[in-house]
Amino acid sequence: MKKIASLFVLVLMISCVGNAQNSSKEKKTYKVEKTESEWKKLLSPSAFYVLIEAGTERPFTSPLNKNYEKGTFVCAACKTPLYKSEHKFDSGTGWPSFDRAIDENVELDVDYKIGYARTELKCNTCGGHLGHSFDDGPKDTTGKRHCINGVALEFIAKK
């Protein structure tokens, strides 16, 4: 009888721990919200994959990677200004990289998709996945590298 009671307590403890770890935080609401089908109508398949499904484009595939014209990089989903060209640098990684975002327009979140915590970058207007932040950026500025999927951005040249 003691074995059954001990087993019951053990199962109960494991299930409680499991439920505590799976409790979801409240979902953030954004100024621009659409259903998946609405986003699919607005975005290319690759932009949908990155922005909505939090995917990653292949490195060295974005024409924006080597774009150093003066202007602003905006969210491909909602057109919110995210990055200024003067903060872009060549990280050698194959993705457009910036040492900082336009204040308040990029949200920092945490994702565990590959088994450990990474700082995820999202558009603060629509919640679209942009990329990740790393601490290996230019030491003479912020030391940050915002590694952004080019398909998540559109470029607006300065006139």
Side-chain angles (χ1 to χ4, degrees):
M1 186 66 171
K2 282 186 176 183
K3 286 184 180 180
I4 293 174
S6 296
L7 183 60
F8 177 76
V9 170
L10 180 64
V11 169
L12 183 62
M13 287 173 52
I14 290 172
S15 68
C16 289
V17 169
N19 288 338
Q21 290 175 346
N22 290 333
S23 65
S24 61
K25 60 182 179 181
E26 244 180 76
K27 186 181 179 222
K28 179 177 176 180
T29 58
Y30 295 95
K31 292 177 196 168
V32 174
E33 291 198 351
K34 298 186 182 306
T35 64
E36 280 197 11
S37 62
E38 289 172 320
W39 283 124
K40 278 184 180 181
K41 289 177 187 172
L42 291 172
L43 300 170
S44 70
S46 57
F48 180 84
Y49 170 68
V50 169
L51 286 158
I52 307 307
E53 296 180 327
T56 302
E57 69 185 356
R58 289 189 341 264
F60 302 102
T61 59
S62 173
L64 295 179
N65 189 39
K66 295 292 183 181
N67 178 348
Y68 291 99
E69 294 177 54
K70 291 186 187 261
T72 304
F73 295 84
V74 301
C75 177
C78 69
K79 312 309 180 226
T80 296
L82 301 173
Y83 295 96
K84 294 180 180 178
S85 60
E86 60 259 32
H87 300 133
K88 188 172 188 294
F89 67 97
D90 186 357
S91 65
T93 61
W95 289 280
S97 297
F98 303 85
D99 69 355
R100 70 196 82 168
I102 294 173
D103 288 340
E104 306 297 319
N105 290 358
V106 174
E107 171 189 0
L108 278 66
D109 200 357
V110 178
D111 91 44
Y112 295 92
K113 291 179 188 95
I114 61 173
Y116 61 90
R118 294 186 299 171
T119 302
E120 180 182 12
L121 302 167
K122 296 179 179 179
C123 174
N124 206 22
T125 302
C126 69
H129 171 79
L130 304 171
H132 293 89
S133 179
F134 302 96
D135 292 326
D136 60 0
K139 299 296 179 211
D140 60 330
T141 60
T142 64
K144 298 290 184 187
R145 173 173 56 97
H146 286 203
C147 186
I148 306 299
N149 292 282
V151 74
L153 302 173
E154 289 180 8
F155 179 72
I156 300 173
K158 189 173 185 176
K159 295 179 182 179

